[in-house]
């Protein structure tokens, strides 16, 4: 994203670049990026060993446990072996930063519990990866991909991690991500790049398992690539604007970015509390729905969750209706298409499927033009909130925190230029540090304008006018070629900004393939409409069955 002005960054940087990261990584044959365990040898798709758990679902794991075919420990062992074979060896996906050193011990405990009293919850024994900005109070660190937080172990679980554990999940490891979720530099174009990743470091450049020379999307790069490549049953990502749905599109996954407040951000390294969310990334709508219900609830650490009381479900699987499109009214975000005729063709086929399923398709539905092209309001909100929210998060780590403020982070990066600034600057950090408190009129006006455009004059107005159940659009373009120094070429598209600014839910589901590369379709709607989106996405998924596993091709021409 070289030579990009602020307006361009908002439209292709936040919504489709830095937070959704269209850029990528160094070529697969470049051994300088291999890090520990990398061989530098090219691996063909035929070299990837068959995997017994390939494409297995949560229900499939549980059925195997009930019949005795699997145990929690045997499942964990198979996934750990898979990570060992594909992450820093073979295709070198660099999707996983670290594995839980206690994974097998925890799996054994889950086996004993299963034998004694049955499943703890709907995720009993299910190996799940967490994005590296989600706290776990165990043997794993949480660094947001930055060397500034190396060794940082949280004093308590994030609300999300605690909910997953209560449901019986095995937290298998931490997934790679774009450092600081991409909120570092206007020129930050590398999906899944974490501190000194280009030369080993914390993570390396995350790859796309469908074509290793293509971007996996970001900033939840590792969550997307690892789930697509069957390194875990599913993963948790986070999103400020496009960072769950974008990688889900580029890795043929289902991704849910919930309403802000449905899930607590307590214990999640932030960008901005007005737009940050965590959410499931899975291979099926059912798996994503199961996970969604385990993460909800009111949390004193996150005041915005108070509004979710009475608005969340602890089980979203009741919305899984194969006939769920029948009678639905869907509004087409036509202005967010038109960037690639091949993607447009897939989108038209998807609209035809929904019509055939009984949906009324209202085409087009217009939103304010400012939401399409990006605006200073969103940027101003992110600038102010990053400073306030990051300082609060670092304070929560206690006196042993490696750094204690955004100011110290900026100083650390400058003092460790080779680790942190060799490829990209930190102007977003610097500009955030220059902002005042959240009582500043400039911030309050920007937040009010953001909500007015995206809610009152945007999603709510459109849905009221046309009596819609949801809005539908293209999630993202064809995964772009990887290039750490140029994020400007390819990809395009994306309709994540309106629901991101509104703090409303957004969901991506596979829409098909172009030249072997996956593309997703988005469904978004009003606050707390997750069950409606799950119903629509499930019906579309059942009618199309677009999900297919990756083939780890070295390159794909499109």
């Amino acid at each position: 994203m070289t030579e990009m002005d602020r307006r361009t960054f908002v439209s292709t940087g936040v919504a489709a670049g830095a937070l959704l990261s269209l850029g990528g990584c160094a070529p697969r044959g470049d051994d300088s990026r291999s890090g520990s365990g990398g061989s530098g040898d090219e691996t063909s798709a035929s070299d990837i060993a068959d995997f017994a758990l390939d494409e297995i679902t949560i229900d499939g794991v549980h059925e195997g446990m009930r019949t005795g075919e699997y145990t929690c420990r045997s499942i964990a062992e198979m996934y750990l072996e898979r990570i060992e074979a594909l992450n820093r060896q073979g295709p070198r996906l660099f999707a996983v930063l670290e594995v839980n050193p206690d994974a097998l011990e925890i799996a054994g405990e889950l086996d004993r519990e299963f034998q004694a009293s049955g499943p703890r919850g709907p995720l009993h024994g299910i190996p799940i990866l967490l994005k590296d900005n989600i706290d776990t109070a165990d043997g794993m660190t949480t660094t947001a991909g930055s060397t500034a937080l190396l060794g940082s172990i949280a004093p308590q679980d994030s609300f999300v991690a605690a909910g997953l554990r209560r449901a019986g999940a095995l937290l298998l490891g931490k997934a790679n991500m774009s450092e600081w979720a991409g909120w570092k530099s206007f020129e930050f174009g590398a999906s899944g790049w974490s501190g000194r990743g280009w030369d080993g470091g914390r993570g390396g450049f995350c790859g796309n398992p469908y074509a290793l020379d293509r971007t996996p999307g970001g900033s939840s790069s590792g969550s997307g690539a690892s789930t697509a490549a069957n390194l875990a049953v599913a993963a948790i990502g986070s999103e400020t604007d496009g960072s769950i749905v974008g990688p889900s599109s580029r890795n043929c996954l289902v991704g849910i970015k919930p309403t802000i407040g449905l899930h607590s951000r307590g214990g999640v390294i932030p960008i901005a509390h007005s737009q940050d969310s965590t959410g499931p990334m899975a291979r099926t709508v059912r798996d994503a729905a199961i996970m969604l219900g385990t993460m909800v609830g009111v949390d004193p650490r996150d005041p915005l969750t108070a509004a979710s009381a009475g608005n969340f479900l602890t089980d979203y699987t009741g919305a899984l209706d194969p006939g769920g499109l029948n009678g639905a009214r869907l509004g087409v975000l036509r202005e967010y298409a038109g960037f690639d005729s091949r993607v447009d063709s897939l989108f038209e086929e998807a609209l035809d499927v929904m019509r055939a399923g009984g949906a009324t398709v209202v085409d087009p539905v217009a939103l304010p033009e400012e939401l399409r092209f990006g605006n200073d309001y969103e940027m101003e909100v992110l600038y102010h909130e990053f400073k306030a929210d990051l300082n609060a998060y670092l304070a929560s780590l206690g006196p042993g925190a490696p750094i204690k403020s955004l100011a110290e982070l900026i100083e650390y990066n400058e003092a460790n230029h080779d680790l942190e600034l060799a490829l990209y600057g930190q102007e977003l950090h610097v500009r955030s540090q220059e902002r005042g408190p959240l009582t500043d009129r400039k911030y309050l006006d920007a937040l009010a304008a953001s909500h007015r455009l995206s809610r009152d004059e945007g999603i709510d107005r459109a849905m009221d006018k046309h009596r819609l159940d949801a809005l539908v659009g293209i999630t993202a373009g064809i995964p772009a070629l990887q290039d750490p120094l140029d994020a400007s070429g390819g990809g395009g598209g994306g309709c994540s900004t309106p629901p991101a600014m509104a703090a409303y839910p957004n969901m991506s589901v596979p829409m098909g393939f172009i030249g072997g590369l996956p593309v997703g379709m988005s469904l978004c709607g009003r606050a707390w409409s997750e069950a409606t989106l799950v119903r629509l996405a499930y019906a579309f998924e059942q009618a199309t069955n677009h999900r297919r596993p990756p083939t780890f091709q070295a390159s794909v021409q499109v």
Side-chain angles (χ1 to χ4, degrees):
M1 294 179 358
T2 55
E3 300 179 3
M4 296 180 72
D5 60 18
R6 180 170 59 193
R7 179 176 176 85
T8 305
F9 178 80
V10 172
S11 60
T12 63
V14 173
L19 303 184
L20 191 138
S21 286
L22 296 180
C25 51
R28 293 281 131 181
D30 179 2
D31 194 44
S32 67
R33 59 164 298 284
S34 63
S36 59
S39 66
D41 296 329
E42 290 292 341
T43 301
S44 68
S46 61
D47 294 330
I48 307 298
D50 291 340
F51 184 47
L53 302 177
D54 200 46
E55 298 293 285
I56 198 168
T57 63
I58 293 171
D59 290 341
V61 170
H62 286 162
E63 177 62 22
M65 290 170 59
R66 283 190 291 269
T67 63
E69 181 180 3
Y70 304 130
T71 64
C72 296
R73 184 182 177 96
S74 71
I75 292 165
E77 288 173 340
M78 283 189 276
Y79 278 116
L80 290 172
E81 290 172 1
R82 176 83 164 176
I83 291 170
E84 177 66 21
L86 302 187
N87 194 54
R88 289 185 176 267
Q89 301 182 64
R92 296 183 294 148
L93 292 175
F94 290 92
V96 180
L97 294 179
E98 61 181 301
V99 296
N100 191 336
D102 303 316
L104 295 182
E105 179 181 346
I106 294 170
E109 294 172 358
L110 288 167
D111 279 327
R112 290 187 287 274
E113 182 178 340
F114 186 80
Q115 292 298 322
S117 56
R120 181 187 304 175
L123 296 177
H124 192 100
I126 302 299
I128 290 175
L129 291 164
L130 301 178
K131 189 175 178 178
D132 187 41
N133 59 352
I134 300 173
D135 282 351
T136 54
D138 50 22
M140 296 186 288
T141 59
T142 307
T143 73
S146 172
T147 62
L149 289 178
L150 281 178
S152 179
I153 295 181
Q156 68 179 110
D157 271 348
S158 61
F159 183 88
V160 169
L164 293 170
R165 291 192 206 271
R166 285 194 301 272
L170 171 60
L171 305 186
L172 190 64
K174 293 294 179 75
N176 202 355
M177 61 180 288
S178 307
E179 185 179 349
W180 298 109
W183 189 256
K184 187 175 181 181
S185 170
F186 284 115
E187 297 181 346
F188 195 96
S191 299
W193 181 89
S194 42
R196 209 183 178 187
W198 55 277
D199 193 23
R202 169 71 170 146
F205 287 99
C206 185
N208 188 317
Y210 288 89
L212 300 173
D213 63 347
R214 298 271 168 171
T215 175
S219 63
S220 302
S221 313
S223 298
S226 60
T227 303
N230 287 273
L231 304 187
V233 174
I236 304 296
S238 73
E239 174 163 332
T240 306
D241 188 335
S243 290
I244 289 174
V245 295
S248 295
S249 174
R250 291 170 170 84
N251 289 279
C252 201
L253 299 176
V254 175
I256 304 177
K257 192 279 289 189
T259 306
I260 303 303
L262 190 79
H263 296 168
S264 169
R265 283 77 53 83
V268 179
I269 299 176
I271 290 181
H273 64 265
S274 292
Q275 294 187 196
D276 287 351
S277 184
T278 59
M281 300 171 69
R283 293 185 291 270
T284 68
V285 174
R286 178 173 174 81
D287 280 3
I290 292 171
M291 294 169 66
L292 184 68
T294 70
M295 302 164 63
V296 299
V298 177
D299 179 13
R301 287 191 286 174
D302 186 347
L304 292 184
T305 59
S308 73
N311 288 311
F312 64 76
L313 301 175
T314 57
D315 183 359
Y316 284 88
T317 61
L320 300 173
D321 178 5
L325 286 165
N326 190 34
R329 291 181 60 85
L330 304 174
V332 179
L333 296 175
R334 182 62 62 181
E335 292 179 341
Y336 293 81
F339 57 87
D340 189 316
S341 61
R342 298 164 297 177
V343 177
D344 288 347
S345 294
L346 279 186
F347 189 42
E348 294 306 322
E349 292 174 9
L351 295 177
D352 286 341
V353 168
M354 290 184 280
R355 292 187 185 98
T360 297
V361 176
V362 181
D363 186 4
V365 169
L367 297 179
E369 187 174 350
E370 295 96 324
L371 299 178
R372 178 186 175 197
F373 291 107
N375 57 81
D376 290 338
Y377 302 126
E378 181 181 26
M379 291 296 290
E380 201 59 53
V381 169
L382 302 191
Y383 281 135
H384 278 83
E385 292 189 2
F386 181 70
K387 178 181 180 180
D389 294 351
L390 181 63
N391 285 342
Y393 170 81
L394 294 172
S396 76
L397 298 179
I403 54 171
K404 297 177 174 59
S405 67
L406 174 57
E408 286 191 14
L409 171 60
I410 293 170
E411 292 175 0
Y412 171 87
N413 289 340
E414 291 173 347
N416 295 273
H417 187 280
D418 289 347
L419 290 173
E420 290 292 341
L421 302 177
L423 287 182
Y424 311 106
Q426 57 173 340
E427 58 269 24
L428 294 177
H429 288 179
V430 172
R431 294 189 186 191
S432 294
Q433 178 61 25
E434 293 170 349
R435 264 46 181 191
L438 299 186
T439 54
D440 277 5
R441 176 52 54 189
K442 188 174 185 180
Y443 163 73
L444 295 173
D445 288 347
L447 183 61
S450 179
H451 287 166
R452 172 180 54 80
L453 282 169
S454 60
R455 297 177 181 178
D456 303 340
E457 299 174 10
I459 293 173
D460 290 336
R461 175 181 289 180
M463 296 188 72
D464 285 341
K465 178 180 179 180
H466 299 287
R467 296 175 289 111
L468 301 175
D469 294 287
L471 296 167
V472 59
I474 297 167
T475 305
I478 301 169
L481 287 167
Q482 300 168 327
D483 185 346
L485 300 179
D486 180 11
S488 63
C495 59
S496 64
T497 293
M501 291 175 62
Y504 288 176
N506 190 10
M507 184 171 181
S508 185
V509 63
M511 187 171 69
F513 286 79
I514 296 172
L517 298 172
V519 177
M521 179 187 76
S522 280
L523 292 157
C524 65
R526 303 179 189 272
W528 322 116
S529 63
E530 283 81 5
T532 297
L533 302 186
V534 166
R535 171 172 57 84
L536 298 170
Y538 182 75
F540 178 79
E541 174 196 60
Q542 296 303 296
T544 58
N545 293 305
H546 283 309
R547 167 68 196 177
R548 64 177 187 249
T551 54
F552 304 95
Q553 299 297 314
S555 181
V556 170
Q557 299 300 316
V558 293

